[in-house]
Amino acid sequence: MTIKEQLQHKINNKTKPLGSLGLLEELALQIGEVQNTLSPKIEKPAHLVFAADHGLADEGISPYPKDVTWQMVMNFCGGGAAINVFCNQNDISLKVYDVGVDYDFPAELPIEKTKVAYGSRNMRVEPAMTPEECRAAMKAGADAVRKEAENGSNTIACGEMGIGNTSASSLLMHRFIGGTIEECTGPGAGLNNSQVQHKINVLKEVAGKYNPETPEEILATFGGIEIAAMVGAYLEAKKQNMLILIDGFISTAAVITAIQMDASVKNNCIFCHSSDEKGHKIMLEYLGVKPLLHLGMRLGEGTGAAVAMPLVKSAVNFLNQMSSMEDAGVSNKE
């Protein structure tokens, strides 16, 4: 039998009605296939938050000022953000990367300093990144993941912090999936209806201004430095054959970009939740995947991935620890 057939046989013969653990059974099968084993493990799960500013924020496409990016990074360092809480709760290591924040952090702060630039450029005027900046950001993300793999981690999640990054994600979604700007654009961090319309108008103008062709050119034109870092991280995580836990709207925009560069990335991805940000459900349908959770979350930082970790562990644990019908002396279905 193939590893998939062996895993399915093992799952089907646990002491339970066939299929009764639902999505957990699909998850156990996927994890076993990725790790090519009947006894998969979650080892040293790591969460990387990439932070960067966006020049497009100058156009009023977010309800928050750009200063919130560096202020929230300080909050991460102080342990006070949602992602700190959920990583602590679920025994996930957390590292914060400054890949493009428009601020100089004190040297003593626990931040990984891999700054590519002091934020992306204003896309209304020029492309978000030069090709060199985009590649440097992708390399920063890849290097971060490689470090975790070398430390024994086989499970990775990425989060982000960057005022304006739902706009960049909407543009990437529009370009790769083909939905209208209206379908791809939501309130982000809390815009009202008239502000959303302004955001749509700005993004329409930006989308019509450029015609990049390759996935990397599209990322450099319409993305953000932290999004490019996430793309690099996902590509490297696939090379390292790690499980990749995907968060919400921005993370999914990044992984869709990565999939344009290497379609096999999707095989390693666990889609952790369905975000309330407009467009995310369309992205998940485009990918043909089932999210684990529907909690109405739209925070970012990778919080949905961290919250889903107990479900990932549950899938592995039932596969490894639950008795089979034979072991328990339970009669199977006729």
mmCIF file of all heavy atoms in Angstrom, residues 175-222:
data_model
loop_
_atom_site.group_PDB
_atom_site.id
_atom_site.type_symbol
_atom_site.label_atom_id
_atom_site.label_comp_id
_atom_site.label_asym_id
_atom_site.label_seq_id
_atom_site.Cartn_x
_atom_site.Cartn_y
_atom_site.Cartn_z
ATOM 1 N N ARG A 175 -4.822 40.272 -8.575
ATOM 2 C CA ARG A 175 -3.947 39.915 -9.692
ATOM 3 C C ARG A 175 -3.890 38.404 -9.913
ATOM 4 O O ARG A 175 -3.923 37.931 -11.052
ATOM 5 C CB ARG A 175 -2.542 40.466 -9.421
ATOM 6 C CG ARG A 175 -1.629 40.373 -10.614
ATOM 7 C CD ARG A 175 -2.053 41.323 -11.720
ATOM 8 N NE ARG A 175 -1.289 41.099 -12.930
ATOM 9 C CZ ARG A 175 -0.928 42.073 -13.757
ATOM 10 N NH1 ARG A 175 -1.273 43.319 -13.490
ATOM 11 N NH2 ARG A 175 -0.245 41.798 -14.842
ATOM 12 N N PHE A 176 -3.818 37.633 -8.829
ATOM 13 C CA PHE A 176 -3.622 36.190 -8.975
ATOM 14 C C PHE A 176 -4.926 35.416 -9.137
ATOM 15 O O PHE A 176 -4.954 34.381 -9.807
ATOM 16 C CB PHE A 176 -2.839 35.635 -7.790
ATOM 17 C CG PHE A 176 -1.395 36.031 -7.782
ATOM 18 C CD1 PHE A 176 -0.817 36.616 -6.659
ATOM 19 C CD2 PHE A 176 -0.598 35.831 -8.902
ATOM 20 C CE1 PHE A 176 0.521 36.969 -6.646
ATOM 21 C CE2 PHE A 176 0.750 36.190 -8.904
ATOM 22 C CZ PHE A 176 1.306 36.764 -7.774
ATOM 23 N N ILE A 177 -6.003 35.887 -8.508
ATOM 24 C CA ILE A 177 -7.277 35.158 -8.565
ATOM 25 C C ILE A 177 -8.205 35.735 -9.627
ATOM 26 O O ILE A 177 -9.028 35.028 -10.205
ATOM 27 C CB ILE A 177 -7.963 35.163 -7.176
ATOM 28 C CG1 ILE A 177 -7.116 34.372 -6.176
ATOM 29 C CG2 ILE A 177 -9.366 34.583 -7.235
ATOM 30 C CD1 ILE A 177 -7.707 34.308 -4.787
ATOM 31 N N GLY A 178 -8.116 37.052 -9.841
ATOM 32 C CA GLY A 178 -8.903 37.665 -10.898
ATOM 33 C C GLY A 178 -10.211 38.277 -10.452
ATOM 34 O O GLY A 178 -11.000 38.725 -11.289
ATOM 35 N N GLY A 179 -10.472 38.310 -9.161
ATOM 36 C CA GLY A 179 -11.687 38.968 -8.679
ATOM 37 C C GLY A 179 -11.601 40.469 -8.872
ATOM 38 O O GLY A 179 -10.512 41.033 -9.078
ATOM 39 N N THR A 180 -12.741 41.137 -8.823
ATOM 40 C CA THR A 180 -12.740 42.600 -8.929
ATOM 41 C C THR A 180 -12.138 43.207 -7.667
ATOM 42 O O THR A 180 -12.086 42.564 -6.616
ATOM 43 C CB THR A 180 -14.171 43.137 -9.103
ATOM 44 O OG1 THR A 180 -14.915 42.869 -7.897
ATOM 45 C CG2 THR A 180 -14.873 42.490 -10.295
ATOM 46 N N ILE A 181 -11.692 44.442 -7.774
ATOM 47 C CA ILE A 181 -11.166 45.140 -6.595
ATOM 48 C C ILE A 181 -12.233 45.198 -5.504
ATOM 49 O O ILE A 181 -11.923 45.039 -4.312
ATOM 50 C CB ILE A 181 -10.675 46.556 -6.969
ATOM 51 C CG1 ILE A 181 -9.410 46.474 -7.844
ATOM 52 C CG2 ILE A 181 -10.411 47.399 -5.727
ATOM 53 C CD1 ILE A 181 -8.169 45.942 -7.126
ATOM 54 N N GLU A 182 -13.483 45.394 -5.889
ATOM 55 C CA GLU A 182 -14.574 45.436 -4.894
ATOM 56 C C GLU A 182 -14.677 44.114 -4.138
ATOM 57 O O GLU A 182 -14.862 44.095 -2.913
ATOM 58 C CB GLU A 182 -15.918 45.743 -5.570
ATOM 59 C CG GLU A 182 -16.097 47.185 -6.004
ATOM 60 C CD GLU A 182 -15.490 47.478 -7.377
ATOM 61 O OE1 GLU A 182 -14.829 46.586 -7.968
ATOM 62 O OE2 GLU A 182 -15.649 48.617 -7.868
ATOM 63 N N GLU A 183 -14.555 42.995 -4.858
ATOM 64 C CA GLU A 183 -14.638 41.670 -4.214
ATOM 65 C C GLU A 183 -13.438 41.404 -3.311
ATOM 66 O O GLU A 183 -13.554 40.685 -2.318
ATOM 67 C CB GLU A 183 -14.699 40.572 -5.286
ATOM 68 C CG GLU A 183 -15.995 40.521 -6.055
ATOM 69 C CD GLU A 183 -15.927 39.565 -7.245
ATOM 70 O OE1 GLU A 183 -14.835 39.394 -7.834
ATOM 71 O OE2 GLU A 183 -16.981 39.000 -7.579
ATOM 72 N N CYS A 184 -12.313 42.003 -3.643
ATOM 73 C CA CYS A 184 -11.063 41.722 -2.936
ATOM 74 C C CYS A 184 -10.806 42.667 -1.758
ATOM 75 O O CYS A 184 -9.842 42.452 -1.010
ATOM 76 C CB CYS A 184 -9.879 41.826 -3.901
ATOM 77 S SG CYS A 184 -9.948 40.678 -5.295
ATOM 78 N N THR A 185 -11.621 43.687 -1.597
ATOM 79 C CA THR A 185 -11.313 44.754 -0.647
ATOM 80 C C THR A 185 -12.351 44.847 0.451
ATOM 81 O O THR A 185 -13.552 44.934 0.193
ATOM 82 C CB THR A 185 -11.229 46.111 -1.375
ATOM 83 O OG1 THR A 185 -10.295 45.989 -2.455
ATOM 84 C CG2 THR A 185 -10.787 47.215 -0.433
ATOM 85 N N GLY A 186 -11.868 44.824 1.703
ATOM 86 C CA GLY A 186 -12.745 44.937 2.862
ATOM 87 C C GLY A 186 -12.309 46.063 3.783
ATOM 88 O O GLY A 186 -11.446 46.874 3.432
ATOM 89 N N PRO A 187 -12.872 46.085 4.995
ATOM 90 C CA PRO A 187 -12.605 47.191 5.919
ATOM 91 C C PRO A 187 -11.262 47.135 6.618
ATOM 92 O O PRO A 187 -10.891 48.074 7.326
ATOM 93 C CB PRO A 187 -13.749 47.078 6.931
ATOM 94 C CG PRO A 187 -14.125 45.632 6.916
ATOM 95 C CD PRO A 187 -13.919 45.189 5.500
ATOM 96 N N GLY A 188 -10.505 46.023 6.432
ATOM 97 C CA GLY A 188 -9.193 45.955 7.081
ATOM 98 C C GLY A 188 -9.315 46.093 8.582
ATOM 99 O O GLY A 188 -10.055 45.352 9.232
ATOM 100 N N ALA A 189 -8.600 47.066 9.137
ATOM 101 C CA ALA A 189 -8.574 47.239 10.586
ATOM 102 C C ALA A 189 -9.777 48.011 11.121
ATOM 103 O O ALA A 189 -9.809 48.357 12.303
ATOM 104 C CB ALA A 189 -7.287 47.953 10.988
ATOM 105 N N GLY A 190 -10.787 48.287 10.261
ATOM 106 C CA GLY A 190 -11.997 48.908 10.772
ATOM 107 C C GLY A 190 -12.453 50.164 10.056
ATOM 108 O O GLY A 190 -12.964 51.093 10.686
ATOM 109 N N LEU A 191 -12.315 50.212 8.737
ATOM 110 C CA LEU A 191 -12.805 51.356 7.971
ATOM 111 C C LEU A 191 -14.333 51.354 7.923
ATOM 112 O O LEU A 191 -14.962 50.290 7.891
ATOM 113 C CB LEU A 191 -12.267 51.298 6.534
ATOM 114 C CG LEU A 191 -10.751 51.424 6.329
ATOM 115 C CD1 LEU A 191 -10.399 51.138 4.879
ATOM 116 C CD2 LEU A 191 -10.257 52.807 6.732
ATOM 117 N N ASN A 192 -14.928 52.547 7.881
ATOM 118 C CA ASN A 192 -16.373 52.629 7.669
ATOM 119 C C ASN A 192 -16.667 52.555 6.163
ATOM 120 O O ASN A 192 -15.751 52.474 5.340
ATOM 121 C CB ASN A 192 -16.965 53.889 8.304
ATOM 122 C CG ASN A 192 -16.406 55.176 7.711
ATOM 123 O OD1 ASN A 192 -16.086 55.240 6.519
ATOM 124 N ND2 ASN A 192 -16.290 56.224 8.529
ATOM 125 N N ASN A 193 -17.942 52.585 5.799
ATOM 126 C CA ASN A 193 -18.322 52.369 4.395
ATOM 127 C C ASN A 193 -17.698 53.384 3.433
ATOM 128 O O ASN A 193 -17.214 53.023 2.354
ATOM 129 C CB ASN A 193 -19.843 52.374 4.244
ATOM 130 C CG ASN A 193 -20.479 51.146 4.857
ATOM 131 O OD1 ASN A 193 -19.809 50.134 5.073
ATOM 132 N ND2 ASN A 193 -21.771 51.207 5.164
ATOM 133 N N SER A 194 -17.714 54.654 3.813
ATOM 134 C CA SER A 194 -17.151 55.668 2.913
ATOM 135 C C SER A 194 -15.631 55.522 2.814
ATOM 136 O O SER A 194 -15.034 55.739 1.746
ATOM 137 C CB SER A 194 -17.524 57.075 3.383
ATOM 138 O OG SER A 194 -16.939 57.355 4.649
ATOM 139 N N GLN A 195 -15.006 55.128 3.906
ATOM 140 C CA GLN A 195 -13.551 54.909 3.883
ATOM 141 C C GLN A 195 -13.188 53.689 3.041
ATOM 142 O O GLN A 195 -12.170 53.694 2.334
ATOM 143 C CB GLN A 195 -13.030 54.751 5.316
ATOM 144 C CG GLN A 195 -13.080 56.043 6.133
ATOM 145 C CD GLN A 195 -12.802 55.791 7.608
ATOM 146 O OE1 GLN A 195 -13.177 54.755 8.169
ATOM 147 N NE2 GLN A 195 -12.146 56.751 8.253
ATOM 148 N N VAL A 196 -14.023 52.646 3.105
ATOM 149 C CA VAL A 196 -13.800 51.463 2.257
ATOM 150 C C VAL A 196 -13.890 51.850 0.784
ATOM 151 O O VAL A 196 -13.088 51.402 -0.045
ATOM 152 C CB VAL A 196 -14.799 50.331 2.590
ATOM 153 C CG1 VAL A 196 -14.717 49.213 1.545
ATOM 154 C CG2 VAL A 196 -14.534 49.756 3.978
ATOM 155 N N GLN A 197 -14.858 52.714 0.447
ATOM 156 C CA GLN A 197 -14.997 53.148 -0.937
ATOM 157 C C GLN A 197 -13.766 53.926 -1.391
ATOM 158 O O GLN A 197 -13.296 53.755 -2.531
ATOM 159 C CB GLN A 197 -16.257 54.001 -1.117
ATOM 160 C CG GLN A 197 -16.584 54.319 -2.577
ATOM 161 C CD GLN A 197 -16.705 53.063 -3.443
ATOM 162 O OE1 GLN A 197 -17.481 52.162 -3.126
ATOM 163 N NE2 GLN A 197 -15.933 53.006 -4.537
ATOM 164 N N HIS A 198 -13.227 54.765 -0.513
ATOM 165 C CA HIS A 198 -11.982 55.483 -0.838
ATOM 166 C C HIS A 198 -10.850 54.492 -1.078
ATOM 167 O O HIS A 198 -10.075 54.628 -2.046
ATOM 168 C CB HIS A 198 -11.617 56.443 0.300
ATOM 169 C CG HIS A 198 -10.233 57.013 0.180
ATOM 170 N ND1 HIS A 198 -9.878 57.927 -0.786
ATOM 171 C CD2 HIS A 198 -9.083 56.759 0.896
ATOM 172 C CE1 HIS A 198 -8.598 58.235 -0.666
ATOM 173 N NE2 HIS A 198 -8.095 57.534 0.344
ATOM 174 N N LYS A 199 -10.759 53.483 -0.217
ATOM 175 C CA LYS A 199 -9.731 52.443 -0.365
ATOM 176 C C LYS A 199 -9.878 51.732 -1.718
ATOM 177 O O LYS A 199 -8.888 51.532 -2.434
ATOM 178 C CB LYS A 199 -9.860 51.446 0.791
ATOM 179 C CG LYS A 199 -8.862 50.299 0.802
ATOM 180 C CD LYS A 199 -9.106 49.445 2.050
ATOM 181 C CE LYS A 199 -8.223 48.212 2.128
ATOM 182 N NZ LYS A 199 -8.497 47.412 3.341
ATOM 183 N N ILE A 200 -11.113 51.394 -2.083
ATOM 184 C CA ILE A 200 -11.385 50.741 -3.366
ATOM 185 C C ILE A 200 -10.923 51.627 -4.521
ATOM 186 O O ILE A 200 -10.279 51.161 -5.473
ATOM 187 C CB ILE A 200 -12.880 50.386 -3.495
ATOM 188 C CG1 ILE A 200 -13.232 49.214 -2.575
ATOM 189 C CG2 ILE A 200 -13.256 50.063 -4.946
ATOM 190 C CD1 ILE A 200 -14.720 48.959 -2.428
ATOM 191 N N ASN A 201 -11.242 52.905 -4.442
ATOM 192 C CA ASN A 201 -10.862 53.840 -5.509
ATOM 193 C C ASN A 201 -9.341 53.919 -5.675
ATOM 194 O O ASN A 201 -8.821 53.926 -6.798
ATOM 195 C CB ASN A 201 -11.441 55.234 -5.230
ATOM 196 C CG ASN A 201 -12.954 55.260 -5.308
ATOM 197 O OD1 ASN A 201 -13.576 54.376 -5.908
ATOM 198 N ND2 ASN A 201 -13.569 56.263 -4.702
ATOM 199 N N VAL A 202 -8.638 53.977 -4.532
ATOM 200 C CA VAL A 202 -7.169 54.027 -4.575
ATOM 201 C C VAL A 202 -6.617 52.743 -5.180
ATOM 202 O O VAL A 202 -5.732 52.773 -6.049
ATOM 203 C CB VAL A 202 -6.589 54.257 -3.160
ATOM 204 C CG1 VAL A 202 -5.065 54.080 -3.169
ATOM 205 C CG2 VAL A 202 -6.949 55.659 -2.654
ATOM 206 N N LEU A 203 -7.136 51.593 -4.737
ATOM 207 C CA LEU A 203 -6.617 50.315 -5.224
ATOM 208 C C LEU A 203 -6.919 50.104 -6.704
ATOM 209 O O LEU A 203 -6.110 49.507 -7.429
ATOM 210 C CB LEU A 203 -7.174 49.159 -4.388
ATOM 211 C CG LEU A 203 -6.780 49.144 -2.899
ATOM 212 C CD1 LEU A 203 -7.202 47.832 -2.246
ATOM 213 C CD2 LEU A 203 -5.296 49.376 -2.702
ATOM 214 N N LYS A 204 -8.075 50.588 -7.172
ATOM 215 C CA LYS A 204 -8.377 50.515 -8.604
ATOM 216 C C LYS A 204 -7.344 51.304 -9.408
ATOM 217 O O LYS A 204 -6.868 50.847 -10.459
ATOM 218 C CB LYS A 204 -9.777 51.066 -8.876
ATOM 219 C CG LYS A 204 -10.906 50.086 -8.615
ATOM 220 C CD LYS A 204 -12.231 50.711 -9.011
ATOM 221 C CE LYS A 204 -13.358 49.706 -8.945
ATOM 222 N NZ LYS A 204 -14.663 50.327 -9.293
ATOM 223 N N GLU A 205 -7.027 52.479 -8.904
ATOM 224 C CA GLU A 205 -6.034 53.309 -9.598
ATOM 225 C C GLU A 205 -4.679 52.606 -9.643
ATOM 226 O O GLU A 205 -4.013 52.559 -10.688
ATOM 227 C CB GLU A 205 -5.910 54.657 -8.879
ATOM 228 C CG GLU A 205 -4.923 55.617 -9.530
ATOM 229 C CD GLU A 205 -4.755 56.905 -8.739
ATOM 230 O OE1 GLU A 205 -5.742 57.371 -8.114
ATOM 231 O OE2 GLU A 205 -3.627 57.427 -8.736
ATOM 232 N N VAL A 206 -4.276 52.038 -8.502
ATOM 233 C CA VAL A 206 -2.986 51.341 -8.431
ATOM 234 C C VAL A 206 -2.985 50.125 -9.350
ATOM 235 O O VAL A 206 -2.024 49.881 -10.096
ATOM 236 C CB VAL A 206 -2.681 50.925 -6.975
ATOM 237 C CG1 VAL A 206 -1.460 50.010 -6.925
ATOM 238 C CG2 VAL A 206 -2.458 52.154 -6.094
ATOM 239 N N ALA A 207 -4.073 49.340 -9.314
ATOM 240 C CA ALA A 207 -4.147 48.111 -10.125
ATOM 241 C C ALA A 207 -4.042 48.411 -11.612
ATOM 242 O O ALA A 207 -3.472 47.620 -12.379
ATOM 243 C CB ALA A 207 -5.445 47.371 -9.831
ATOM 244 N N GLY A 208 -4.572 49.550 -12.047
ATOM 245 C CA GLY A 208 -4.539 49.915 -13.458
ATOM 246 C C GLY A 208 -3.257 50.581 -13.903
ATOM 247 O O GLY A 208 -3.042 50.806 -15.100
ATOM 248 N N LYS A 209 -2.400 50.899 -12.952
ATOM 249 C CA LYS A 209 -1.190 51.677 -13.250
ATOM 250 C C LYS A 209 -0.034 50.816 -13.770
ATOM 251 O O LYS A 209 0.829 51.301 -14.496
ATOM 252 C CB LYS A 209 -0.761 52.409 -11.965
ATOM 253 C CG LYS A 209 0.396 53.407 -12.122
ATOM 254 C CD LYS A 209 0.667 54.097 -10.797
ATOM 255 C CE LYS A 209 1.859 55.041 -10.870
ATOM 256 N NZ LYS A 209 1.610 56.212 -11.723
ATOM 257 N N TYR A 210 -0.033 49.522 -13.379
ATOM 258 C CA TYR A 210 1.128 48.668 -13.683
ATOM 259 C C TYR A 210 0.678 47.386 -14.382
ATOM 260 O O TYR A 210 -0.459 46.963 -14.246
ATOM 261 C CB TYR A 210 1.853 48.279 -12.386
ATOM 262 C CG TYR A 210 2.182 49.432 -11.475
ATOM 263 C CD1 TYR A 210 1.356 49.736 -10.383
ATOM 264 C CD2 TYR A 210 3.310 50.221 -11.690
ATOM 265 C CE1 TYR A 210 1.661 50.793 -9.532
ATOM 266 C CE2 TYR A 210 3.618 51.279 -10.845
ATOM 267 C CZ TYR A 210 2.786 51.567 -9.768
ATOM 268 O OH TYR A 210 3.084 52.610 -8.938
ATOM 269 N N ASN A 211 1.622 46.756 -15.075
ATOM 270 C CA ASN A 211 1.326 45.473 -15.710
ATOM 271 C C ASN A 211 2.498 44.508 -15.558
ATOM 272 O O ASN A 211 3.084 44.055 -16.552
ATOM 273 C CB ASN A 211 0.970 45.668 -17.185
ATOM 274 C CG ASN A 211 0.385 44.404 -17.794
ATOM 275 O OD1 ASN A 211 -0.246 43.614 -17.098
ATOM 276 N ND2 ASN A 211 0.621 44.205 -19.077
ATOM 277 N N PRO A 212 2.847 44.158 -14.310
ATOM 278 C CA PRO A 212 3.916 43.180 -14.113
ATOM 279 C C PRO A 212 3.458 41.803 -14.588
ATOM 280 O O PRO A 212 2.260 41.527 -14.638
ATOM 281 C CB PRO A 212 4.130 43.203 -12.594
ATOM 282 C CG PRO A 212 2.795 43.611 -12.049
ATOM 283 C CD PRO A 212 2.219 44.568 -13.043
ATOM 284 N N GLU A 213 4.407 40.928 -14.901
ATOM 285 C CA GLU A 213 4.043 39.636 -15.493
ATOM 286 C C GLU A 213 4.357 38.442 -14.606
ATOM 287 O O GLU A 213 3.480 37.636 -14.336
ATOM 288 C CB GLU A 213 4.733 39.490 -16.859
ATOM 289 C CG GLU A 213 4.226 40.516 -17.881
ATOM 290 C CD GLU A 213 4.882 40.351 -19.236
ATOM 291 O OE1 GLU A 213 5.773 39.473 -19.371
ATOM 292 O OE2 GLU A 213 4.502 41.097 -20.165
ATOM 293 N N THR A 214 5.591 38.304 -14.154
ATOM 294 C CA THR A 214 5.937 37.113 -13.366
ATOM 295 C C THR A 214 5.435 37.264 -11.926
ATOM 296 O O THR A 214 5.202 38.387 -11.459
ATOM 297 C CB THR A 214 7.459 36.904 -13.335
ATOM 298 O OG1 THR A 214 8.054 37.965 -12.565
ATOM 299 C CG2 THR A 214 8.043 36.900 -14.736
ATOM 300 N N PRO A 215 5.274 36.151 -11.199
ATOM 301 C CA PRO A 215 4.845 36.255 -9.793
ATOM 302 C C PRO A 215 5.752 37.151 -8.957
ATOM 303 O O PRO A 215 5.251 37.918 -8.124
ATOM 304 C CB PRO A 215 4.878 34.805 -9.314
ATOM 305 C CG PRO A 215 4.639 33.998 -10.540
ATOM 306 C CD PRO A 215 5.325 34.743 -11.639
ATOM 307 N N GLU A 216 7.063 37.070 -9.176
ATOM 308 C CA GLU A 216 7.971 37.910 -8.396
ATOM 309 C C GLU A 216 7.793 39.389 -8.752
ATOM 310 O O GLU A 216 7.822 40.254 -7.865
ATOM 311 C CB GLU A 216 9.425 37.481 -8.625
ATOM 312 C CG GLU A 216 10.396 38.186 -7.687
ATOM 313 C CD GLU A 216 11.835 37.695 -7.838
ATOM 314 O OE1 GLU A 216 12.072 36.491 -7.597
ATOM 315 O OE2 GLU A 216 12.699 38.516 -8.187
ATOM 316 N N GLU A 217 7.585 39.690 -10.026
ATOM 317 C CA GLU A 217 7.340 41.080 -10.426
ATOM 318 C C GLU A 217 6.035 41.597 -9.833
ATOM 319 O O GLU A 217 5.947 42.753 -9.403
ATOM 320 C CB GLU A 217 7.286 41.173 -11.956
ATOM 321 C CG GLU A 217 8.642 41.032 -12.635
ATOM 322 C CD GLU A 217 8.526 40.894 -14.149
ATOM 323 O OE1 GLU A 217 7.380 40.760 -14.660
ATOM 324 O OE2 GLU A 217 9.569 40.906 -14.822
ATOM 325 N N ILE A 218 5.010 40.752 -9.810
ATOM 326 C CA ILE A 218 3.712 41.139 -9.223
ATOM 327 C C ILE A 218 3.867 41.401 -7.734
ATOM 328 O O ILE A 218 3.336 42.388 -7.200
ATOM 329 C CB ILE A 218 2.663 40.039 -9.498
ATOM 330 C CG1 ILE A 218 2.335 39.984 -10.999
ATOM 331 C CG2 ILE A 218 1.394 40.274 -8.681
ATOM 332 C CD1 ILE A 218 1.569 38.750 -11.420
ATOM 333 N N LEU A 219 4.628 40.537 -7.046
ATOM 334 C CA LEU A 219 4.866 40.719 -5.616
ATOM 335 C C LEU A 219 5.621 42.020 -5.346
ATOM 336 O O LEU A 219 5.268 42.779 -4.436
ATOM 337 C CB LEU A 219 5.650 39.521 -5.079
ATOM 338 C CG LEU A 219 6.077 39.570 -3.616
ATOM 339 C CD1 LEU A 219 4.871 39.675 -2.680
ATOM 340 C CD2 LEU A 219 6.913 38.322 -3.265
ATOM 341 N N ALA A 220 6.650 42.291 -6.142
ATOM 342 C CA ALA A 220 7.433 43.513 -5.947
ATOM 343 C C ALA A 220 6.595 44.763 -6.211
ATOM 344 O O ALA A 220 6.739 45.780 -5.525
ATOM 345 C CB ALA A 220 8.656 43.507 -6.870
ATOM 346 N N THR A 221 5.682 44.680 -7.166
ATOM 347 C CA THR A 221 4.870 45.842 -7.546
ATOM 348 C C THR A 221 3.770 46.127 -6.539
ATOM 349 O O THR A 221 3.562 47.267 -6.109
ATOM 350 C CB THR A 221 4.246 45.611 -8.937
ATOM 351 O OG1 THR A 221 5.291 45.372 -9.873
ATOM 352 C CG2 THR A 221 3.434 46.831 -9.374
ATOM 353 N N PHE A 222 3.050 45.080 -6.144
ATOM 354 C CA PHE A 222 1.824 45.257 -5.359
ATOM 355 C C PHE A 222 1.917 44.785 -3.907
ATOM 356 O O PHE A 222 0.982 44.975 -3.139
ATOM 357 C CB PHE A 222 0.671 44.495 -6.029
ATOM 358 C CG PHE A 222 0.312 44.978 -7.397
ATOM 359 C CD1 PHE A 222 0.383 44.126 -8.496
ATOM 360 C CD2 PHE A 222 -0.110 46.288 -7.601
ATOM 361 C CE1 PHE A 222 0.036 44.560 -9.762
ATOM 362 C CE2 PHE A 222 -0.456 46.734 -8.874
ATOM 363 C CZ PHE A 222 -0.385 45.873 -9.954
#
